[in-house]
């Protein structure tokens, strides 16, 4: 399989305040200019603010396609953030890989490390602060331009100028776009939810979400995640 993509940027950053309220976030990523260790919980020089919902083995590295930046520049008022990679808090920036041609279970070599696609991104309300746009998280979710996460199968090192090489496809029919469509568009497609709940290459958290929908026959409230608000009451 010859499926190699030059890395535009490897990005890491510290936890820092975000927005007028000073919410702490690890979304402030900048390109690195020296080798970085890839560990089971992410890049060694990277940080996340809330480890309950960010980071960890199933969200070790976040990839956001630079391909999407032009569409966001067209859809939003001028945002200097969109002039360069890192606006979405991503660790990897490339062109050529997008949600329609990347699948859960895909295995990539990153420098001397080996990664596997584990899940899509569930955008949260901190994006609203990052972009000074009250519904940015919802926009990202509705667009399908969410990016995705990797788990680390083998530790190693990545350096600027390395390529991201896809070396295997375990469940190629389960693209990130397909997962997104089941979760956010055809939200109570029970057959698809059942298949998703049994997909071994998908992160357990997403399989658990699918099982909950099957059991409850309803869609969970996203208010807190998207807007930083408690769930609405019926």
């Amino acid at each position: 399989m010859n499926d190699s993509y030059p890395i535009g940027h490897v990005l890491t950053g510290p936890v820092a305040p975000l927005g007028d309220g000073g919410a702490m976030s690890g979304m402030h990523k900048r390109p690195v200019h020296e080798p970085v260790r890839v560990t089971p919980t992410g890049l060694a020089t990277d940080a996340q603010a809330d480890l309950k919902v960010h980071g960890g083995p199933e969200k070790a590295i976040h990839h956001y396609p630079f391909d999407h930046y032009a569409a966001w520049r067209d859809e939003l008022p001028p945002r200097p953030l969109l002039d360069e990679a890192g606006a979405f808090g991503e660790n990897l920036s490339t062109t050529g890989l997008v949600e329609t041609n990347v699948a859960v279970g895909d295995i990539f070599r990153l420098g001397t490390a080996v990664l596997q696609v584990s899940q899509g991104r569930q955008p949260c309300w901190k994006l609203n602060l990052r972009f000074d746009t009250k519904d940015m998280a919802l926009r990202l979710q509705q667009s399908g331009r969410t990016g995705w996460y990797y788990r680390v199968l083998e530790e190693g090192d990545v350096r600027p100028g390395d390529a991201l090489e896809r070396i295997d496809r375990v469940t190629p029919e389960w693209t990130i776009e397909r997962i997104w469509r089941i979760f956010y568009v055809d939200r109570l497609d029970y057959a698809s939810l059942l298949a998703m709940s049994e997909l071994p290459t998908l992160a357990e958290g997403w399989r658990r979400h699918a099982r909950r929908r099957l059991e409850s026959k309803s869609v969970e409230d996203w208010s807190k995640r998207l807007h930083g608000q408690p769930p609405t009451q019926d």
Side-chain angles (χ1 to χ4, degrees):
M1 178 181 293
N2 184 10
D3 201 356
S4 183
Y5 300 84
I7 298 170
H9 294 289
V10 178
L11 306 104
T12 68
V15 173
L18 187 68
D20 293 337
M24 300 304 290
S25 170
M27 209 175 295
H28 308 271
K29 311 295 187 195
R30 300 296 300 169
V32 300
H33 302 289
E34 56 188 25
V36 180
R37 188 69 178 172
V38 181
T39 79
T41 54
L43 300 175
T45 58
D46 198 31
Q48 293 84 32
D50 185 352
L51 294 177
K52 292 182 180 179
V53 293
H54 297 112
E58 293 297 285
K59 291 185 282 188
I61 293 177
H62 178 229
H63 189 153
Y64 196 80
F66 196 70
D67 312 64
H68 297 330
Y69 275 59
W72 288 120
R73 285 194 292 266
D74 287 343
E75 294 172 19
L76 294 171
R79 293 286 185 270
L81 277 174
L82 293 169
D83 292 342
E84 57 186 8
F88 296 89
E90 64 266 35
N91 299 119
L92 293 180
S93 177
T94 63
T95 57
L97 287 168
V98 293
E99 291 79 3
T100 55
N101 63 17
V102 170
V104 169
D106 283 1
I107 297 175
F108 289 85
R109 190 176 305 283
L110 176 68
T112 61
V114 178
L115 314 179
Q116 184 175 44
V117 178
S118 55
Q119 64 182 73
R121 179 182 187 171
Q122 285 188 283
C124 81
W125 58 273
K126 290 184 180 179
L127 282 164
N128 305 338
L129 302 180
R130 175 77 164 158
F131 282 86
D132 192 23
T133 301
K134 64 180 181 180
D135 62 345
M136 187 63 194
L138 179 61
R139 286 177 184 234
L140 195 78
Q141 178 172 295
Q142 291 177 334
S143 73
R145 303 190 295 261
T146 60
W148 56 89
Y149 287 97
Y150 298 97
R151 58 176 68 95
V152 177
L153 300 184
E154 295 179 18
E155 292 189 58
D157 297 288
V158 58
R159 66 191 68 225
D162 281 347
L164 186 66
E165 180 187 6
R166 182 156 40 193
I167 58 177
D168 199 4
R169 308 203 76 185
V170 182
T171 46
E173 69 279 11
W174 282 95
T175 64
I176 296 296
E177 191 273 342
R178 181 182 178 187
I179 296 284
W180 167 82
R181 187 165 297 281
I182 293 169
F183 215 64
Y184 296 120
V185 181
D186 304 320
R187 297 177 290 180
L188 291 176
D189 177 343
Y190 298 127
S192 293
L193 285 169
L194 178 60
M196 182 174 157
S197 74
E198 297 173 345
L199 182 62
T201 52
L202 182 63
E204 170 58 26
W206 281 60
R207 286 185 279 154
R208 187 165 56 246
H209 279 307
R211 290 194 294 269
R212 286 174 179 166
R213 282 198 197 171
L214 287 168
E215 293 168 0
S216 67
K217 302 294 190 293
S218 64
V219 178
E220 62 279 5
D221 193 304
W222 299 325
S223 300
K224 185 174 182 180
R225 174 170 58 81
L226 293 175
H227 306 295
Q229 301 168 352
T232 56
Q233 299 297 315
D234 294 333

